[in-house]
Amino acid sequence: MKSSGDCEIDGNADIYGIGIRLGLYAQSVTTLFVTLFVQEEEAVNRTINLLLQLAIFAGTLLSTHEGTIHAFEVIIVFWMLVGALSSLTVSCVTDINFFTGTCRLLFYAALSAYGCWFFFVGQDTMQGTPSLLS
């Protein structure tokens, strides 16, 4: 039974709902297996990783622009995006001669810029985190 002091936090399922989390977990396991056993398919796997990361980051940017995101949700997104495996080898990960290498470099530059903005300015402009201790 809920008392008047309890509060609920309705998280954004489009950012870190069960489908997104399962997708990230499956992608991490797939990356591990591809890197260990089928290295010739690593480039395709890195591209799929990048597309998933871009989708999550785009959702975060949209929610930030609309003002519908809490600071703690952005921290969760950072954990998901920075923790994602690109591959276990360094081949083609940072090579900007490949289109996906350039895209990955641009993605991490944009994520870093957003992170700097968030930690220095953005978190103070976002919705307040509901108090769980009342």
Side-chain angles (χ1 to χ4, degrees):
M1 180 182 258
K2 230 174 115 168
S3 69
S4 62
D6 290 344
C7 65
E8 293 181 10
I9 299 172
D10 293 324
N12 187 339
D14 292 335
I15 294 176
Y16 56 86
I18 189 70
I20 299 294
R21 285 183 286 147
L22 287 176
L24 283 169
Y25 301 152
Q27 192 62 35
S28 292
V29 169
T30 303
T31 299
L32 175 65
F33 287 140
V34 165
T35 303
L36 292 176
F37 302 115
V38 196
Q39 290 182 358
E40 59 274 5
E41 297 296 325
E42 250 186 321
V44 173
N45 196 273
R46 275 193 301 274
T47 302
I48 294 168
N49 275 344
L50 182 61
L51 290 174
L52 184 60
Q53 290 173 320
L54 281 171
I56 294 169
F57 186 54
T60 304
L61 290 176
L62 182 63
S63 294
T64 300
H65 177 71
E66 292 174 347
T68 59
I69 195 168
H70 295 92
F72 74 89
E73 293 175 308
V74 175
I75 299 296
I76 292 170
V77 169
F78 278 125
W79 286 339
M80 290 188 318
L81 294 180
V82 175
L85 293 171
S86 296
S87 71
L88 300 177
T89 64
V90 294
S91 62
C92 301
V93 174
T94 57
D95 191 353
I96 59 173
N97 293 328
F98 292 97
F99 178 72
T100 55
T102 303
C103 290
R104 184 165 304 286
L105 178 68
L106 293 173
F107 169 72
Y108 284 125
L111 184 64
S112 298
Y114 179 81
C116 289
W117 171 83
F118 172 76
F119 284 107
F120 287 109
V121 179
Q123 64 184 336
D124 296 329
T125 64
M126 294 183 174
Q127 294 182 23
T129 303
S131 173
L132 295 176
L133 304 172
S134 296

